[in-house]
Amino acid sequence: MDSRESRGANRRKLARINTQMRVDVFKHRFIGGWRYVTRAKALDYNRYGIGVTSPMRLSPGTRIKVDLYTPAMILRQVDAEVVSCQRAGQAYRLGLRTYQTLKEVAGESDQHQIRYLAGMEEVLPQRAS
């Protein structure tokens, strides 16, 4: 195994939890502000980000907002940034980062909403393996 394989094998900061959640994606438009652009499906998440499938391609670096629909609650207008976009059949597999600074993840900010999903694995619908 070379160094490229070892780096790629463990690229995530934390293991992701499989799930199936509805995700509404909003994108900022120059005229008109934030607008709904597509519905996606969350495949997995952790406190750093979310993996989703989307019928629409979004370029890495794009700032978006997402609404996450869980059985227990709806998290609205969660800030996210597209960090990866890969074709997956007729859809796109997007990697979303839900923080800008590590202070948000550490809880020093009141705005990091994805932390509310921590500990909810038992009530979230699980994806079949």
Side-chain angles (χ1 to χ4, degrees):
M1 173 179 2
D2 67 14
S3 63
R4 287 184 307 225
E5 290 175 333
S6 62
R7 282 194 311 259
N10 191 15
R11 70 182 196 281
R12 291 194 175 119
K13 294 176 178 71
L14 186 65
R16 291 217 174 149
I17 299 159
N18 291 335
T19 189
Q20 289 187 12
M21 290 185 285
R22 181 180 126 197
V23 178
D24 288 341
V25 179
F26 299 84
K27 190 174 175 185
H28 193 267
R29 308 224 181 201
F30 184 68
I31 298 175
W34 291 98
R35 299 288 180 156
Y36 171 84
V37 291
T38 192
R39 176 165 292 160
K41 181 170 68 170
L43 302 174
D44 51 34
Y45 76 96
N46 64 25
R47 65 182 169 168
Y48 299 103
I50 308 167
V52 303
T53 58
S54 167
M56 182 177 184
R57 181 185 183 282
L58 294 171
S59 301
T62 303
R63 299 292 306 166
I64 60 174
K65 290 186 183 277
V66 294
D67 288 353
L68 301 171
Y69 292 83
T70 73
M73 70 179 124
I74 301 171
L75 296 177
R76 295 204 184 271
Q77 302 296 300
V78 176
D79 291 320
E81 178 182 358
V82 177
V83 293
S84 67
C85 179
Q86 298 175 344
R87 186 84 170 154
Q90 295 182 347
Y92 294 91
R93 174 72 157 90
L94 304 176
L96 306 179
R97 180 173 49 210
T98 56
Y99 67 93
Q100 290 183 339
T101 67
L102 289 176
K103 284 184 177 182
E104 294 175 22
V105 178
E108 295 178 24
S109 168
D110 294 334
Q111 299 301 316
H112 190 57
Q113 296 166 308
I114 200 75
R115 70 174 181 243
Y116 293 117
L117 293 178
M120 292 185 59
E121 294 82 17
E122 293 180 10
V123 297
L124 295 176
Q126 296 292 309
R127 181 175 68 174
S129 298

